[in-house]
Amino acid sequence: MRLHFISARMVVAPLLLGVAVLALWQLAVVALEIKPFVLPGPVAIADQFFGNIDNVWTASAVTGWNALVGLVLGAVAGVLLATLAAVWAVLDELSVPIVAALAVIPIVALAPVLYTMYGAGAETARQIIAAIAVFIPVYLNSLRGFRQVRPVHRELMHVYAASGVQTARNVTLPSALPFIFTGLRIASSLAVISALIAEYFGGPVGGLGKSITSAASSSNYSLAWAYVLGSILVGLVFYLVTLGLEKLVSRHRPTP
Amino acid sequence: MTRKDSLPVTDAHAVNVTGVSRIFSIKKKAAVTALESVDLTVAPGEFVSLIGPSGCGKSTLLRLIADLDQPSAGTIEVFGKTARKARIDQDYGIAFQQAGLLPWRTVRANIELPLELHKVGTAERRSRSTELLELVGLVDFGDNYPDQLSGGMQQRVAIARALAESPNLLLMDEPFGALDEMTRERMQNELIRICADTRAAVVFVTHSIPEAVFLSDRVVVMSPRPGRIRSVLPIRLGGPDDRSEHIREDTAFFDGVSAVRESLHGTPDSGNARGVDIR
Ligand SMILES: Nc1ncnc2c1ncn2[C@@H]1O[C@H](COP(=O)(O)OP(=O)(O)OP(=O)(O)O)[C@@H](O)[C@H]1O
Ligand SMILES: [Mg+2]
């Protein structure tokens, strides 16, 4: 019963708070006569969201797909390069300035350059931007993870005269996994954000970013907010899926 | 010179340590001489305990034999080979001072780890791990994860893992340190039985005088900084069949305890022969 009580409190309380905030928001918009270009009310946004659900859905699919391609490419590259850097320290040292540079420059600033490189009609530029944004946290966290191997475990593998592959499979990778997933969790949101913001700099229409700008420029503010709501949902899905994967993989390991 | 299947080379010592020193030099600090001209031989099937105050280099000596570290001077042979060759040939099993289990593997999978690494088939692995789980009294915990076990239980898993491949040499660094007195005595009896069955030589690090006396053929007493062998005391209270519980009440046992204690403290001991932990 106690468990029931807790889970009820954990679900119901935020839900009630959310409803209360929405109600206050709507009340304020109506009572203070706030103009829609300043802030539309939740009812108006919901109306646009469900009224244009097909458009929101296709826009989400376009941006979501770009983010997913970027996430997969960036994550694979990040883990692979971190593996190599963990094996060859030279590579690690060489990569430090590059990764530092990548981490400092806003990746979306590359968008105009990439659009001219890959053609303004293709989604490639957006996917590459998402991939680069994803690469950095995945690479850095994975590399850190590969350094987490406990000395006693490394010695154990040494004692068993285990091969490099055996050591990687049985000790290094499992030790690093929680860190790799931390990187992926951060990266999942970054992928959506980067893919979306890249749309602001050009390229084909149809994604969430373009839809937000075009709705806003035609003064349809409630519709713009409906697309923003769509973006939030896409980001949430990405985050929750990686979180779920992490939980699945790390069922039986103490959290570091 | 014939090769038997239980022992690699019949005429070689299990362990032969000659003139071994190990000096740790840490940057900007004075070098630590952990071991200084240590000589030690262990015959095949012999049980030798290393005892001495904390920091006297017991673990260091064990790590040198296991080829986890290299001596600054001197040579180490294991079954007539270099320590490195013996490690690659898997001539020994080791239980560390820390259990060192892999937390993402079940207890059973931890025990099977060395067998798996050395390509033993699934069925054989399974039956061997079942045997070992029974031996260490953890039959009901095979599917548990190490963090669901107490420290002593984890240590027992580590011992089972060290025994998995029935090695001819067992290196054990305070394996029973985390166990309660009852389990400890049971494990000591088991260890004697295992050694008798497998004819394995054992190098056993301990802090407990009675434990060393009960288990060993010889007790090696070490002195602190620099770590040296102070004396080697022959004990051997009898074969595995005679060495049951009653021997702990025997006068030979108390004599052994006093002898080791005297050597450790460098002074003759007056009365009170009951062993105490020297930690
Ligand atoms: N990797 C290392 N680097 C520097 N010094 C070390 C290292 N390993 C051991 N020492 C030093 O060598 C000495 C012996 O250490 P060792 O671990 O062998 O002691 P021990 O006899 O096993 O002690 P205990 O009974 O507490 O386990 C200590 O003074 C220790 O500080
Ligand atoms: Mg030690």
Side-chain angles (χ1 to χ4, degrees):
Chain A
M1 283 304 100
R2 190 172 168 74
L3 206 79
H4 259 103
F5 175 70
I6 290 173
S7 63
R9 208 173 56 174
M10 268 164 39
V11 173
V12 171
L15 224 58
L16 279 179
L17 184 71
V19 169
V21 167
L22 286 179
L24 263 176
W25 175 4
Q26 183 66 24
L27 203 71
V29 168
V30 173
L32 304 174
E33 292 179 16
I34 297 176
K35 296 278 178 294
F37 65 84
V38 177
L39 182 68
V43 172
I45 295 173
D47 188 40
Q48 288 293 333
F49 182 83
F50 291 109
N52 294 283
I53 190 73
D54 286 348
N55 293 337
V56 176
W57 175 252
T58 38
S60 300
V62 169
T63 306
W65 175 250
N66 288 342
L68 184 65
V69 171
L71 181 62
V72 171
L73 286 180
V76 168
V79 173
L80 273 181
L81 276 164
T83 312
L84 294 181
V87 177
W88 291 295
V90 196
L91 205 70
D92 183 15
E93 281 162 33
L94 284 178
S95 73
V96 167
I98 300 169
V99 173
L102 279 179
V104 171
I105 55 165
I107 305 302
V108 282
L110 292 173
V113 186
L114 290 171
Y115 281 131
T116 47
M117 280 171 71
Y118 292 96
E123 301 281 356
T124 321
R126 294 164 180 172
Q127 294 166 352
I128 290 176
I129 286 165
I132 298 173
V134 162
F135 170 79
I136 296 156
V138 172
Y139 174 82
L140 290 177
N141 279 285
S142 305
L143 192 54
R144 205 171 135 226
F146 289 133
R147 303 231 167 87
Q148 300 300 315
V149 180
R150 283 178 55 202
V152 60
H153 290 161
R154 204 179 308 118
E155 293 192 336
L156 196 67
M157 295 321 253
H158 183 71
V159 156
Y160 291 139
S163 70
V165 174
Q166 285 179 326
T167 307
R169 226 175 62 86
N170 288 294
V171 166
T172 319
L173 203 59
S175 305
L177 224 46
F179 290 81
I180 297 176
F181 269 106
T182 305
L184 280 178
R185 200 153 23 87
I186 300 165
S188 65
S189 313
L190 273 180
V192 177
I193 293 168
S194 321
L196 190 146
I197 295 186
E199 292 177 25
Y200 292 166
F201 294 83
V205 293
L208 283 165
K210 280 278 189 213
S211 303
I212 293 170
T213 43
S214 68
S217 60
S218 58
S219 303
N220 197 345
Y221 301 107
S222 306
L223 182 61
W225 278 95
Y227 282 116
V228 170
L229 181 59
S231 323
I232 294 172
L233 292 178
V234 171
L236 207 61
V237 166
F238 269 67
Y239 182 81
L240 288 178
V241 168
T242 40
L243 191 70
L245 269 178
E246 181 178 0
K247 286 271 180 296
L248 200 73
V249 171
S250 56
R251 249 173 319 176
H252 289 296
R253 61 188 70 233
T255 42
Chain B
M1 213 175 307
T2 51
R3 282 178 72 91
K4 282 190 191 165
D5 40 6
S6 62
L7 297 173
V9 184
T10 40
D11 62 342
H13 294 294
V15 180
N16 193 359
V17 175
T18 355
V20 160
S21 301
R22 179 67 174 102
I23 298 158
F24 290 107
S25 36
I26 311 159
K27 280 177 213 133
K28 287 186 249 165
K29 271 191 173 173
V32 176
T33 308
L35 291 173
E36 196 174 73
S37 46
V38 169
D39 296 297
L40 178 69
T41 54
V42 179
E46 190 185 22
F47 198 118
V48 171
S49 288
L50 304 178
I51 196 164
S54 183
C56 72
K58 304 182 294 292
S59 298
T60 305
L61 182 54
L62 210 68
R63 291 171 53 82
L64 291 174
I65 298 170
D67 189 43
L68 286 168
D69 192 7
Q70 273 66 51
S72 311
T75 57
I76 292 174
E77 283 181 2
V78 179
F79 294 114
K81 319 171 197 177
T82 60
R84 185 181 145 73
K85 181 85 169 62
R87 171 177 63 79
I88 291 168
D89 292 353
Q90 294 295 301
D91 285 337
Y92 67 82
I94 189 167
F96 293 100
Q97 203 162 355
Q98 307 159 278
L101 303 176
L102 302 181
W104 47 83
R105 277 176 169 254
T106 61
V107 164
R108 185 186 284 279
N110 263 288
I111 296 175
E112 289 181 6
L113 176 70
L115 302 168
E116 204 180 305
L117 291 175
H118 302 136
K119 311 268 187 317
V120 176
T122 320
E124 198 182 334
R125 258 171 17 213
R126 177 102 196 155
S127 71
R128 182 74 183 130
S129 59
T130 306
E131 235 172 85
L132 288 160
L133 281 169
E134 270 165 29
L135 177 73
V136 295
L138 292 173
V139 184
D140 298 335
F141 293 90
D143 296 329
N144 284 53
Y145 284 83
D147 59 349
Q148 300 168 324
L149 265 54
S150 74
M153 289 157 96
Q154 292 181 21
Q155 198 61 11
R156 281 188 273 161
V157 179
I159 292 166
R161 184 179 61 186
L163 294 170
E165 296 183 287
S166 314
N168 290 316
L169 173 64
L170 264 174
L171 305 175
M172 308 183 99
D173 197 345
E174 295 183 45
F176 304 152
L179 304 184
D180 65 279
E181 201 61 30
M182 292 238 315
T183 317
R184 191 170 175 145
E185 290 193 356
R186 198 173 69 73
M187 291 301 293
Q188 289 170 359
N189 293 332
E190 284 301 333
L191 186 58
I192 285 174
R193 200 182 53 68
I194 291 160
C195 294
D197 285 356
T198 62
R199 309 249 310 109
V202 186
V203 181
F204 189 92
V205 172
T206 179
H207 273 131
S208 159
I209 301 176
E211 180 167 273
V213 171
F214 180 72
L215 291 172
S216 309
D217 297 323
R218 284 186 298 152
V219 176
V220 174
V221 179
M222 295 179 66
S223 68
R225 253 152 288 161
R228 284 203 188 105
I229 292 182
R230 181 175 280 165
S231 52
V232 180
L233 305 167
I235 304 280
R236 185 133 190 111
L237 295 174
D241 300 326
D242 334 316
R243 211 170 347 164
S244 51
E245 278 316 298
H246 71 267
I247 241 174
R248 295 180 202 270
E249 314 287 324
D250 206 86
T251 42
F253 178 72
F254 293 122
D255 290 347
V257 167
S258 324
V260 173
R261 170 146 352 96
E262 271 171 38
S263 175
L264 262 174
H265 298 300
T267 50
D269 188 62
S270 52
N272 185 22
R274 236 171 226 290
V276 262
D277 235 44
I278 55 155
R279 226 175 302 221

